Amino acid sequence: MSADRQDASSEDGTWSTPEAYDADVSRETTSSSWHGGDSTDRGGDLHREALISSVPQVDEDTPLAAQLALDARRRIDLDGRRFPRPERTRIITVANQKGGVGKTTTTVNLAAGLARAGLKVLVIDNDPQGNASTALGIEHRAGTPSIYEVLVEDEPIASAVQACPDVDGLWGVPATIDLSGAEIELVSLVSRETRLRKALDRYLDERTARGEDPIDYVFVDCPPSLGLLTVNAFVTGREVLIPIQCEYYALEGLSQLLKTIELIKAHLNPELVVSTILLTMYDGRTNLAQQVAAEVRQHFPDQTLRTTVPRSVRISEAPSYGQTVMTYDPGSTGALAYLEAAREMSEHSAQRADLQ
């Protein structure tokens, strides 16, 4: 054990405070950073495994220490990694008609996590509240070219795309207050359900024609409803990601959402598949959260990610600074959970036949 480590620990090698423990592991993680190295390097993998095995096992009877140990292992394992690039652009609609389950938070943080891991990601803010635009730090004041002009006025998506200032490889299409009236305006338009899909397909084709790098992931953030904006998002997406809050009410609306998805598949988008379910606001100390998680995993074993996202003050604070938690506090429990979920999701397409 190094002198620094011995100073931070007690005589028997255990840490006297959580702060000393976390600082110690962070120091080792920083010293082992790959600085963007190739994640397929076998020597690097062996070094990671050695560092992870050096993190002491902690009894679950001490939940704070157990969480610190989990965060330490995640930090070592994920630091500097590059996630696998999909064979084709994955277009993912993030939807749940219940409000407050973490749709926007999940959208922007998964997108930021994938972009930080070397992928090209586009977020389309299809919610009139514009919260995803706020979290990405992109302009969305009234008059800004936005998804409203794309849907209602047939403007190209390229005219509204903005780069996220904090994360390379991440772009957003903002939503302005104008979008709040789009539900009514879309009713009288031709091909009202497919307007977003056509615009996105055209944008992706134009990038390819210009010789630009292809977009690896497109996330469409939906409002908490099943109106025309959400229908457009379902027709656009090839996959649906459903964030589910670990509370009873969140399960009640799931059956209606699945019925809507089946209707979309039958009449408008036969490609659509529920590919991912992410459990959010998880509090393992409560029986209810554990029961909800167990029930969701029982009914959707292939779709439900192993990773759960805990309740986190850092995740809630980040948008007020115009950031995702990935840049606001990348070492926090919430950021590590979303980064782990992004990694797990990126590996799904290679493992599941229905996502090929």
Side-chain angles (χ1 to χ4, degrees):
M1 182 180 291
S2 67
D4 285 342
R5 289 187 56 155
Q6 187 63 52
D7 288 343
S9 64
S10 62
E11 290 184 0
D12 63 357
T14 60
W15 286 265
S16 54
T17 65
E19 291 78 8
Y21 174 79
D22 203 32
D24 185 28
V25 176
S26 296
R27 186 163 51 246
E28 285 212 10
T29 307
T30 302
S31 68
S32 69
S33 176
W34 288 14
H35 304 292
D38 183 359
S39 64
T40 61
D41 181 80
R42 184 59 184 159
D45 281 344
L46 290 173
H47 186 46
R48 287 178 190 273
E49 291 169 6
L51 280 174
I52 291 172
S53 64
S54 72
V55 177
Q57 296 297 322
V58 180
D59 196 305
E60 292 294 333
D61 290 339
T62 54
L64 176 58
Q67 185 62 58
L68 287 172
L70 175 61
D71 287 352
R73 294 188 187 97
R74 279 180 171 168
R75 192 177 296 116
I76 295 167
D77 192 35
L78 295 170
D79 183 53
R81 277 202 184 274
R82 293 290 183 261
F83 297 166
R85 177 165 275 113
E87 294 183 5
R88 61 175 182 173
T89 302
R90 293 181 66 182
I91 304 174
I92 301 172
T93 297
V94 183
N96 192 328
Q97 80 273 21
K98 185 181 184 304
V101 299
K103 287 186 299 296
T104 298
T105 300
T106 294
T107 299
V108 297
N109 285 302
L110 287 179
L114 291 165
R116 286 173 67 90
L119 301 175
K120 307 293 184 185
V121 186
L122 174 68
V123 174
I124 297 176
D125 189 353
N126 207 37
D127 184 348
Q129 296 177 86
N131 292 335
S133 305
T134 299
L136 294 176
I138 60 178
E139 185 61 64
H140 62 108
R141 289 179 295 183
T144 303
S146 68
I147 197 63
Y148 171 82
E149 285 77 16
V150 174
L151 286 170
V152 177
E153 300 176 3
D154 289 323
E155 292 292 326
I157 283 182
S159 67
V161 170
Q162 298 181 39
C164 175
D166 299 312
V167 183
D168 292 336
L170 178 59
W171 295 270
V173 180
T176 63
I177 191 63
D178 296 331
L179 192 61
S180 58
E183 291 271 8
I184 298 172
E185 295 179 69
L186 281 169
V187 170
S188 60
L189 297 181
V190 176
S191 303
R192 61 191 183 190
E193 301 94 349
T194 62
R195 297 176 74 84
L196 182 56
R197 177 171 184 141
K198 291 176 179 176
L200 178 59
D201 288 347
R202 187 163 58 245
Y203 172 72
L204 296 176
D205 290 342
E206 288 171 355
R207 283 185 62 97
T208 302
R210 291 193 298 265
E212 299 178 10
D213 290 336
I215 297 291
D216 297 305
Y217 285 84
V218 177
F219 289 91
V220 185
D221 186 34
C222 293
S225 69
L226 295 176
L228 272 174
L229 289 175
T230 302
V231 169
N232 260 273
F234 281 145
V235 175
T236 301
R238 279 56 163 181
E239 305 174 35
V240 180
L241 186 156
I242 306 175
I244 296 181
Q245 185 181 4
C246 291
E247 294 183 3
Y248 175 73
Y249 285 141
L251 291 176
E252 279 199 320
L254 185 57
S255 60
Q256 180 59 50
L257 178 61
L258 294 175
K259 288 177 183 177
T260 302
I261 292 171
E262 287 303 315
L263 287 173
I264 298 292
K265 286 183 66 174
H267 299 286
L268 294 168
N269 185 7
E271 298 177 76
L272 194 63
V273 59
V274 177
S275 66
T276 310
I277 292 176
L278 178 63
L279 298 168
T280 62
M281 304 181 195
Y282 181 78
D283 186 349
R285 298 171 300 179
T286 66
N287 289 333
L288 177 60
Q290 295 178 26
Q291 290 166 2
V292 170
E295 189 166 343
V296 172
R297 293 186 195 283
Q298 178 183 350
H299 287 91
F300 304 98
D302 296 329
Q303 292 88 350
T304 308
L305 298 183
R306 296 186 304 272
T307 307
T308 58
V309 178
R311 291 188 178 275
S312 168
V313 173
R314 291 303 196 193
I315 291 176
S316 302
E317 285 177 347
S320 66
Y321 293 87
Q323 298 183 56
T324 66
V325 74
M326 294 295 174
T327 55
Y328 176 66
D329 190 353
S332 66
T333 298
L336 292 169
Y338 269 119
L339 190 57
E340 179 68 31
R343 176 189 180 185
E344 190 178 346
M345 192 180 72
S346 71
E347 294 170 350
H348 259 193
S349 59
Q351 297 169 352
R352 287 177 49 188
D354 58 340
L355 301 182
Q356 298 300 318

